[in-house]
Amino acid sequence: MSKIMTGAEMVVQALTDQGVTHLFGYPGGAVLPIYDALFHQTKVKHVLVRHEQGAAHAAEGYARSTGKVGAVLVTSGPGATNAITGLTDALMDSIPLVCITGQVPTHLIGSDAFQECDTVGLTRHCTKHNYLVRSIEDLPRILHEAFYIARSGRPGPVVIDVPKDVQFASGTYAPPKNIQHKTYQPQVKGDLAKIKQAVAMMAKAKKPILYTGGGVINAGPAASALLRELVQQTNFPITSTLMGLGAYPGSGPNWLGMLGMHGSYEANNAMHDCDLMICVGARFDDRITGRLDAFSPGSKKIHIDIDPSSINKTVAVDLAIIGDCGHVLEDIVRLWRTEAHQPDKKAMAAWWAQINKWRARNSFGYKKSDTTIKPQLAVERLYALTKDRDTYITTEVGQHQMWAAQHYKFEEPNRWMTSGGLGTMGYGLPAAIGTQLAHPDSLVIDIAGEASILMNIQELSTAKQFLAPVKIFILNNEYMGMVRQWQELLHGGRYSSSYSEALPDFVKLAEAYGMKGIRCSDPAQLDAAIQEMIDHPGAVIFDCLVDKAENCLPMIPSGKAHNDMILPDTGEDIGSVIDDKGKMLV
Amino acid sequence: MNAQAALSPYSSSAGKTERRETHVLSVLVDNEPGVLARVVGLFSGRGYNIESLTVAEVAHLQGLSRITVVTSGAPETIEQISHQLERIVPIHTVTDLSLADAFVQRELAMIKVRGKGESRTEALRLAEAFRARVIDATTESFIFELTGAPKKIDDFVELMRPIGLVEVSRTGIAAITRGPLEM
Ligand SMILES: Cc1ncc(C[n+]2csc(CCOP(=O)(O)OP(=O)(O)O)c2C)c(N)n1
Ligand SMILES: [Mg+2]
């Protein structure tokens, strides 16, 4: 079924053949032939963003909420450099993207031509792989290979840099076949002998814990279902990273809440005291481990991951299983069942009794108020009023993000889109738009901070143009709250440049875009106001004026161990807890 | 990595050894543009050491090149380097030769020495003992070509220094496993 066509037509045909429904992009001189090819068809819908960073984040939201590859199209030079933050974000969080960048014609490469930049050089460090297409003969293979590399193994972003002359050239296009790459062959099935060993370790454990991450989400909904079955059969407690929320239901009986720097007291203490840690698709990131030499000192550790470089990177483990979380979980669940294992009932009862003591500290608790809206209350009420709907949540970065992770309970995978590894302010609004376009009838909410939302506020135009009824729920504390909190912690409360000066009137801003604006500062009116937001058929900016001084607790201060947390009821003076060594850390 | 980072509670993993080792990694790659930049960029981006690096095509028809890297670090770091290299798409295989049973390594050096009279004959005598060849000569200088393990070249260079060493150019090492099998 080969066909003669131009390079630009090949790009659009390959997107179609790869099942791309939405292409997030922004035109420019070096991609005009591709825009012309888009003009002549209807299968791929082009979504015009207002900044190329927005295109990448929108594609991330689309990808994370659907499990499909997100597609991006930008021009050379500034188009490519603007996309770099989004590509880096996708690399850190293992989100599959294919980003097509225009490039100056081949004969001008290296001459500092207008809007030339070394795109493959610049993106080499922030992509899983990248290509400069040197001839039309290579283009069809590279297009299909890029999708394969982006979605298989540990997913990630792939850039294809297409010079303008290649877009105009004619060649033979062939649709995708089963790709067998000569060097890239991710291992998906786990080693059965090792899996047997893991099951034997699990059967003997007295204080086990499951620590899961974004890898379970990336392995698809079936992996989450298997994880639930495993928890149900073993009665093991389970915690997860920020990226893994939703793999196990937030309302489930064995759920300990998120772990790590702003994780729950019970999750962190259980990690510290466990005798067996089963890490599934997580990577022992510094936000998770805290102080490494005091990280879970007495436990045996099993690590299941598709990326061999994640093994023993920061934490040495006793048993490593390389493979896709879904495949490995399937084997574990089957072996647990056929070998008729039973958890050690007595030991488990004692372990759960201990965990319940930690739980009783109620570490996500906060002081209630009748006069100001506490940010935690705002998330709690948002959760209560949206949990029975078909809801997707995105966030920006800061305190509001952590409060969302603590207080919004996710029942399903792919419902939670947040920038974890890179921590990119400005992620939430474009990601919400991408998510909304993939799920037009669902309720999509960006839980935002007043500072972060301004980083990609231009995307309101995109939401308006493409009729994306996203709800932007701003926890407006008039501070870069997370920065303010660290200044309180480390710098004597000297709030250097962290006050959100000169904010726009967010209600009027919404109205300027023909959207609905809602403001609320009274806890008594909060429910009605949230309901009004939900009921409005179009996009809404909700300016929720919250307590300006609230700190996000609990917290493992930098340089401390899991069992050395600041708790909300002891966290009044946080200025004295971090020593000089801890102050060096981020 | 600087001293501060080494002290960091986030990087001083319990169970990590203080021991530093030098390893020779043999990396078989598709001979395509940018592949060397990917490898070198990985080392600089993640703060790994490169003590020596050589690259050349080794199988023209299959388009394969071999990169030989000498690196040093804690054994855990070196294991991590191998895994990080394996993530690079156009890389076929990464072999840590220092973990293999036995391998041979060779380096070629050109050494320019200046001198007259007694020191000139002394240089020639030592060159003969090291089996270095003279590849250029003037009335007041020699260029020696010497092949061998890096240590042998180091030793020869040190002997030439007092005699009149001018400068040295070295290739970096190429290495291969002993015995009949592929690496
Ligand atoms: C692009 C970017 N720049 C800077 C930071 C550092 N940073 C982390 S949180 C934060 C403040 C966020 O303020 P806001 O959006 O109001 O959220 P809050 O913490 O108040 O909830 C900043 C500046 C970042 N994460 N991303
Ligand atoms: Mg704020």
Side-chain angles (χ1 to χ4, degrees), chain A residues 469-515:
Chain A
V470 291
K471 318 297 184 207
I472 302 162
F473 190 73
I474 304 174
L475 299 183
N476 185 347
N477 52 8
E478 288 181 28
Y479 276 100
M480 299 171 192
M482 194 56 98
V483 174
R484 190 198 55 67
Q485 176 167 344
W486 280 62
Q487 288 172 332
E488 191 176 327
L489 230 92
L490 301 179
H491 299 286
R494 292 178 295 280
Y495 299 137
S496 182
S497 295
S498 57
Y499 182 68
S500 287
E501 204 84 49
L503 286 174
D505 178 330
F506 284 111
V507 171
K508 284 197 185 142
L509 184 66
E511 287 162 5
Y513 280 94
M515 297 172 180

Side-chain angles (χ1 to χ4, degrees), chain A residues 124-125 128-131 134 149 154 181-184 261 286-287 290-293 307-309 311-316 558-559 581 584-586, chain B residues 4 7-16 30 32-34 37-38 41-42 44-46 62 76 79-80 83-84 86-92:
Chain A
R124 197 172 284 136
H125 298 268
K128 182 173 172 183
H129 192 47
N130 63 12
Y131 301 88
R134 282 156 202 279
I149 288 174
R154 179 175 178 176
H181 196 276
K182 57 183 168 171
T183 54
Y184 172 78
M261 186 172 269
D286 57 62
R287 298 291 101 155
R291 193 185 179 88
L292 273 174
D293 58 11
D307 179 0
S309 78
I311 309 291
N312 295 336
K313 185 167 67 178
T314 57
V315 172
S558 45
K581 242 185 185 178
M584 303 280 205
L585 303 174
V586 289
Chain B
Q4 217 142 66
L7 287 176
S8 160
Y10 288 161
S11 62
S12 70
S13 170
K16 258 198 187 164
D30 268 339
E32 62 177 43
R38 290 181 205 279
L42 173 76
S44 62
R46 291 185 182 264
Q62 295 101 306
E76 300 84 6
E79 185 193 331
Q80 180 63 204
H83 288 316
Q84 291 292 351
E86 280 162 355
R87 291 174 72 181
I88 296 176
V89 168
I91 285 186
H92 285 259

Side-chain angles (χ1 to χ4, degrees), chain A residues 553-565:
Chain A
L553 298 172
M555 178 176 191
I556 304 177
S558 45
K560 300 267 182 173
H562 268 176
N563 57 350
D564 202 358
M565 300 190 80

Side-chain angles (χ1 to χ4, degrees), chain B residues 82-158:
Chain B
S82 294
H83 288 316
Q84 291 292 351
L85 283 168
E86 280 162 355
R87 291 174 72 181
I88 296 176
V89 168
I91 285 186
H92 285 259
T93 55
V94 179
T95 312
D96 185 339
L97 293 177
S98 306
L99 298 179
D101 281 347
F103 70 101
V104 278
Q105 48 177 330
R106 290 291 180 270
E107 183 175 11
L108 183 146
M110 288 180 266
I111 300 130
K112 186 180 288 183
V113 181
R114 178 186 233 153
K116 286 185 162 169
E118 179 52 32
S119 52
R120 196 171 157 80
T121 36
E122 175 70 0
L124 268 183
R125 226 167 32 76
L126 286 165
E128 199 172 336
F130 274 77
R131 276 184 240 149
R133 285 200 312 135
V134 176
I135 54 173
D136 179 73
T138 68
T139 53
E140 52 169 331
S141 71
F142 287 119
I143 296 173
F144 296 113
E145 176 200 306
L146 179 58
T147 306
K151 174 76 170 65
K152 175 178 168 185
I153 295 171
D154 292 345
D155 290 348
F156 184 71
V157 168
E158 280 320 305

Side-chain angles (χ1 to χ4, degrees), chain A residues 346-381:
Chain A
K346 211 168 129 222
M348 289 299 286
W351 182 224
W352 274 110
Q354 173 61 61
I355 288 171
N356 286 331
K357 273 189 210 146
W358 289 320
R359 260 186 183 159
R361 283 303 300 266
N362 185 26
S363 60
F364 291 162
Y366 58 95
K367 280 210 191 82
K368 309 266 180 306
S369 162
D370 295 336
T371 48
T372 51
I373 299 179
K374 290 285 183 172
Q376 300 94 326
L377 177 82
V379 177
E380 267 175 22
R381 295 318 302 158

